[in-house]
Amino acid sequence: MPAAQAGDETSVHQARVASRRLREALPVLGARADEDKLDRVQRRVRRITRALGPVRELDVTLSLLAELEGKGAAPVRAIARVRKAVIDERQKRRREMLGEITPSRLDKLTRRLVRVAAPEPRTHVPRNALTEAAMQSAQRARNLKAAIERAGGIYLADRLHRVRVEAKKLRYALEIQRELAKSRSTAGLNRLKTEQDLLGRMHDLEILIDKARAAQSKLNPRDRRGMSELNKLIRVLEDECREGHAAYMHGRAALVKLCDSVIAADHSKPTAA
């Protein structure tokens, strides 16, 4: 967090990932922690994730623009137009981020996390952490499978983004379960990471497409050259999105199979006769 507050791009990303992993770890405490305390901490951590998110997305957008410029894949003037708008927006979002992750707020959250992690006195024996983690993973797998089914086989950016989000949550949940079980298996995690990266790239491209269209909307309608250059940029991005979707469809069945195996491994609920 200190480096993220100072403006380091990598640290913004790492802090955001850490906050997401923390959000997956907290439910594992569900059987032993005070529900109200747990809920307050979860809301607070979620706010941190959301504060870091826009800055991280804009950092990725700037990185994509640099990549396209380096490859000569799009008109330089179009890239420059979009880059200026993104930099201006990032400055605004960064101010908002800093207001949410002040040192005093982070210190307060740390104290709350320590209290939540301390076991509450109970009259019954709570489920162990591994059981909680298995339940969490199974629920994440159900959510991912539902998102995959809803996305179908047509390119719909918002539904594919939902698949990516659910894949990420399942991956983090399985990482926690793997650590508690002292397992060395990484096959499922590698599959999720591959699909998550693929869908993440598509999402990043969609964000850049939106920024390019926003830049177009601000042009003088008579600026045909500017319009044409931005259209070329958008076409390059759309072509890569289509290629990414084809690759996702190729691995879709394996992703569903992984979800089914995680769900089947959860023995916390009796199966129907």
Side-chain angles (χ1 to χ4, degrees), residues 77-255:
R77 288 197 345 145
I79 291 173
R81 287 181 190 276
V82 179
R83 179 183 283 127
K84 182 181 184 307
V86 172
I87 290 173
D88 290 344
E89 184 179 354
R90 187 187 185 279
Q91 291 174 342
K92 176 185 175 183
R93 294 292 189 176
R94 186 171 182 274
R95 287 193 294 270
E96 294 171 353
M97 179 192 78
L98 291 175
E100 192 64 44
I101 60 170
T102 62
S104 61
R105 289 186 175 184
L106 294 175
D107 288 343
K108 185 177 181 180
L109 174 61
T110 301
R111 291 193 297 271
R112 286 182 175 179
L113 286 167
V114 171
R115 288 196 294 269
V116 166
E120 292 286 326
R122 297 292 177 106
T123 57
H124 64 281
V125 179
R127 293 186 296 267
N128 64 44
L130 186 54
T131 301
E132 290 289 329
M135 292 171 59
Q136 177 78 354
S137 295
Q139 185 55 55
R140 293 306 189 196
R142 293 186 192 96
N143 293 347
L144 173 55
K145 186 175 180 180
I148 292 170
E149 291 172 351
R150 186 167 185 270
I154 302 174
Y155 186 90
L156 296 171
D158 57 337
R159 296 189 183 187
L160 289 168
H161 177 54
R162 190 73 246 165
V163 173
R164 178 213 178 192
V165 169
E166 297 300 341
K168 187 184 299 185
K169 289 180 179 179
L170 175 56
R171 177 184 154 215
Y172 294 160
L174 286 176
E175 286 176 346
I176 294 168
Q177 185 179 351
R178 175 177 178 269
E179 183 174 342
L180 290 170
K182 296 180 172 57
S183 169
R184 294 185 178 183
S185 175
T186 60
L189 294 174
N190 291 340
R191 163 61 61 182
L192 286 167
K193 179 69 165 59
T194 298
E195 296 301 322
Q196 178 190 323
D197 288 346
L198 175 62
L199 292 166
R201 174 78 178 189
M202 291 160 62
H203 177 63
D204 296 337
L205 292 168
E206 285 289 345
I207 290 175
L208 184 46
I209 289 171
D210 287 343
K211 302 301 180 189
R213 286 176 176 156
Q216 265 188 331
S217 70
K218 295 178 181 178
L219 283 180
N220 186 318
R222 289 178 290 184
D223 186 354
R224 294 183 179 179
R225 180 182 175 186
M227 288 286 186
S228 175
E229 289 172 341
L230 285 166
N231 277 332
K232 289 178 181 177
L233 170 59
I234 291 169
R235 280 197 298 272
V236 168
L237 300 172
E238 289 177 337
D239 287 345
E240 186 176 344
C241 282
R242 282 192 287 270
E243 292 172 3
H245 184 249
Y248 159 74
M249 290 302 297
H250 182 72
R252 184 172 178 265
L255 204 54

